[in-house]
Amino acid sequence: MPSTCVIGLQWGDEAKGKVVDLLAPQFEIVVRFLGGANAGHTVVVGGDKFKLHHIPSGILTPSVMNLVTPGVVINPATILQEVETLTKRGVKVGSQNLMLSDRAHIVCPWHILEDQVLDGSPVAGENIGTTLRGIGPCYRDKVGRTFAFRLGDLYREDFRKRVFDTVAAKLRMLAGLSETPNASFPLDAEKIYEEYLDYANRMRPFVGDTTAYLLDAVDADKRILFEGAQGTMLDVDHGTYPFVTSSNASGAGVSAGSGVPFRKVEKCIGVSKAYTTRVGGGPFPTEQNNEIGQCIRDLGGEYGTTTGRPRRCGWFDVVAVRYGVRVSGVDSLAIMKLDVLSTLPEIQLGMSYELDGKKITHFPSHVDDLRRVVPVYETLPGWQSDISKVRQLKDLPMNARKYLDRISQVVDRPVGLVSVGADREATILD
Ligand code: IMP
């Protein structure tokens, strides 16, 4: 396999972790290049469920080196918890299979407070509904530079002084941002310094220069798999702004977040559910806020891995996925959770959008237009039989095959993988 990226085509939660886990044995390195503890990648092996937030899903494949690169924002407590949980469950995690970039930024307690103060602030309008993991504020400080901490900074002599200076400034800023008069914020510089020093010591075995490691790997023609987080529609530049995350969650982010030259990423697999989900605020044209949506939520277990929030559910949106495929440069599709639709007598595909009574061919750039579009549906017959044991395309019921063929045709990409259950085994590879 050439170096490949796995990118979500919708609003995240497309089951990318399962695809990465399946492909990992064919690669030497798996790279997580964006996002942070907002992500929740679930991998099920032999009925055992693993939930990962930062650590690449390649960690369950013993031969693979897993890298967390500069584009990721690391929550030290969460990542150490992941290491501990994996170790307790018998997965070996050490410097031989996990490296964290010293350039990656660190989520600090004030970022989480800022997320709480700002998400839902009337100044911002409709609530973005972030995961409240401090992701946006951490990326804001990264770009702003003044208050940012990179992992490597935790080992520098001025670390203590910088924590104290930053806490003083952040307390002033939080007081100014808060809608509540005289609000106080639990930021104790000494405590934070001690806490983060302890994290720094525990993370030390894993810290390294992932950029140098990857550039050497590229020169040595090593096979690299890039694990996307969130999805193309949540990309800060190309997604449904401002209802997005704060990094490039489309294929556009692979090179920037990892440090691997973009010309060295040879293949892109786009991952989409057989329907659509979204968690948090923002427009969702094919949403089914009715018994169909509830049925999909129940059968698909559509509750957030990280926050437990119920996900909004709806029909497959061809316009959004086709846009995602083109933005991310996708070669083939992985269609996930097809089994969830198995009980439905009819399935709808959102084929196009109408805006002010006219068919539009592009994906709207402004959310106000996206809010106003009316999807035009095509109805396909369901298959109404259990497909969870099917392992070959030819054994799928005819209507399930027709549904996949239609998606492939209208999205204009081949379907290379179909998932019919959570476990590694419940997969059809073409
Ligand atoms: P943030 O990334 O926590 O700032 O959240 C911004 C938006 O992205 C919110 O609508 C979140 O629900 C959404 N989001 C962030 N990470 C994920 C994810 O891993 N899956 C699905 N939605 C996500």
Side-chain angles (χ1 to χ4, degrees), residues 256-315:
S258 69
V260 171
F262 72 93
R263 290 172 59 203
K264 299 291 179 186
V265 184
E266 294 156 280
K267 202 175 159 210
C268 180
I269 297 172
V271 188
S272 166
K273 281 181 190 164
Y275 47 92
T276 311
T277 62
R278 160 157 226 185
V279 58
F284 174 179
T286 60
E287 180 168 18
Q288 299 299 301
N289 197 3
N290 53 30
E291 69 283 4
I292 300 266
Q294 187 59 45
C295 171
I296 293 175
R297 186 175 305 115
D298 290 344
L299 293 171
E302 294 296 354
Y303 296 87
T305 313
T306 299
T307 59
R309 290 181 291 179
R311 296 179 183 143
R312 298 156 66 191
C313 298
W315 298 118

Side-chain angles (χ1 to χ4, degrees), residues 11-13 38-40 128-131 135-136 230 234 244-245 279-280 309:
W11 282 277
D13 307 319
N38 50 350
I128 293 174
T130 76
T131 59
I135 304 296
Q230 291 86 45
L234 289 173
V244 292
T245 191
V279 58
R309 290 181 291 179

Side-chain angles (χ1 to χ4, degrees), residues 370-381:
L370 191 59
R371 265 196 199 98
R372 293 190 301 118
V373 299
V374 179
V376 180
Y377 289 105
E378 180 174 299
T379 305
L380 284 90

Side-chain angles (χ1 to χ4, degrees), residues 134-157:
I135 304 296
C138 185
Y139 277 116
R140 184 164 52 233
D141 279 346
K142 168 180 171 170
V143 179
R145 294 151 299 163
T146 312
F147 302 112
F149 286 84
R150 306 204 298 180
L151 180 49
D153 295 337
L154 308 195
Y155 306 96
R156 317 288 299 186
E157 273 186 4

